[in-house]
Amino acid sequence: MAILQVAIQGNSDVWYLILGHDKPNALAARQASRPAHLARLEALRDAGRLKLAGPLPALDAEDPGPAGFTGSLIVAEFPSLEEAKAWADADPYVAAGVYARVEVRPFRPVLP
């Protein structure tokens, strides 16, 4: 997962981009662990920390069918890079073996 850092005026948290890269043939594991994955995202949203989240379809289609997904993108606020990485490492998709790798980087928004 990739994350870029940005200081937000009046807020000590920084934005981070989390980019999870799916393993080949991970669709079944993704579908099975999706409810737990979404629950964590909803908790971030409810805390006002989630900026954007969604899957990356393997095909240019709303429903990629059996082609599945190539990964997931999350942009959220965390107090530090270490906390963003810890949150990403605890994702149910990681535990289920969906992701081959995850990048976490600071994120700096420029335009909406």
Side-chain angles (χ1 to χ4, degrees), residues 6 22 27 30-31 43 50 54 58 80 82-83 85 93 97 102 111-112:
V6 79
D22 283 19
L27 184 58
R30 174 182 273 274
Q31 291 171 330
L50 182 64
S80 69
E82 294 75 23
E83 289 187 47
K85 286 181 177 181
Y93 283 174
V102 176
L111 296 171

Side-chain angles (χ1 to χ4, degrees), residues 55-64 68-71:
L56 307 173
L59 303 174
D60 187 13
E62 186 172 328
D63 180 0
F69 301 89
T70 61

Side-chain angles (χ1 to χ4, degrees), residues 77-101:
E77 290 180 75
F78 292 94
S80 69
L81 178 59
E82 294 75 23
E83 289 187 47
K85 286 181 177 181
W87 188 91
D89 289 344
D91 192 292
Y93 283 174
V94 172
V98 173
Y99 294 145
R101 65 186 170 94

Side-chain angles (χ1 to χ4, degrees), residues 14-61:
V14 171
W15 289 21
Y16 292 91
L17 180 133
I18 300 170
L19 183 59
H21 300 269
D22 283 19
K23 292 179 179 176
N25 304 310
L27 184 58
R30 174 182 273 274
Q31 291 171 330
S33 53
R34 187 170 188 258
H37 171 77
L38 289 179
R40 294 182 80 237
L41 290 173
E42 289 166 353
L44 271 183
R45 178 201 60 205
D46 294 347
R49 296 170 45 201
L50 182 64
K51 304 302 178 189
L52 173 73
L56 307 173
L59 303 174
D60 187 13

